[in-house]
Amino acid sequence: MADELEGLELDWLGGSCPVEAEGTYRGRRLHFRARGSSWSLDLTDPASGEVWCHEEEYGAGPFDAGYMPLEDARASIRKAVAMFRDGIEPSVLEPLTTEAWLRDMREQTPEAFAQWLQQWGHSRVPGRDVTYAELAAELPPSPTP
């Protein structure tokens, strides 16, 4: 599917949790991914392997990006590709700590957080000797409004 940005070709766009796209832009491989609370677009030069990557937060909840409407995904792709074309420095989000992610999910969607903990709480946090349930129990209480 051709786009109004010259040289942008999307071979595939779809899905949910994550929403993804594959394609090319002026010979570079394009990969778009929206999941959790952010989206990213990578443009990879196949000859050198050099990757240009741009990331942005999306939505108000911890899972909004995974359910991003396809028209929003297309707009995000066009925005990032135009930034690359115009030589604008990409932004890369700071990784969210596991504690911050758990706290955000607990505060923004308490019912979904409880369901998630019930299903996954017994799992160990990667690289740490603690389960998600144990870590969540150590979090300070949410501030009251």
Side-chain angles (χ1 to χ4, degrees):
M1 104 192 72
D3 196 275
E4 66 266 14
L5 276 172
E6 185 179 332
L8 175 60
E9 287 282 333
L10 293 181
D11 300 324
W12 183 83
L13 170 63
S16 63
C17 290
V19 174
E20 292 188 281
E22 296 285 340
T24 58
Y25 176 67
R26 295 185 178 170
R28 288 181 174 252
R29 289 188 308 269
L30 177 148
H31 181 252
F32 173 83
R33 179 179 170 93
R35 184 170 183 158
S37 61
S38 64
W39 62 267
S40 65
L41 182 121
D42 297 341
L43 292 169
T44 305
D45 183 323
S48 69
E50 175 190 359
V51 179
W52 182 92
C53 178
H54 178 72
E55 299 175 321
E56 287 188 20
E57 292 182 352
Y58 178 86
F63 309 112
D64 289 353
Y67 297 101
M68 175 186 287
L70 296 183
E71 51 274 7
D72 287 2
R74 282 187 194 92
S76 298
I77 291 166
R78 286 191 298 272
K79 175 183 179 180
V81 167
M83 288 174 64
F84 174 79
R85 177 198 63 202
D86 296 342
I88 297 171
E89 278 294 310
S91 69
V92 179
L93 300 174
E94 289 294 319
L96 195 60
T97 66
T98 303
E99 289 86 350
W101 180 78
L102 285 170
R103 189 176 46 254
D104 287 352
M105 185 168 53
R106 178 186 68 191
E107 291 172 7
Q108 294 176 17
T109 56
E111 299 83 19
F113 177 67
Q115 290 174 348
W116 185 88
L117 263 185
Q118 189 172 27
Q119 182 174 0
W120 298 102
H122 66 280
S123 300
R124 292 226 170 269
V125 176
R128 298 171 68 180
D129 191 27
V130 65
T131 66
Y132 287 104
E134 293 166 340
L135 190 60
E138 295 173 6
L139 293 175
S142 298
T144 54

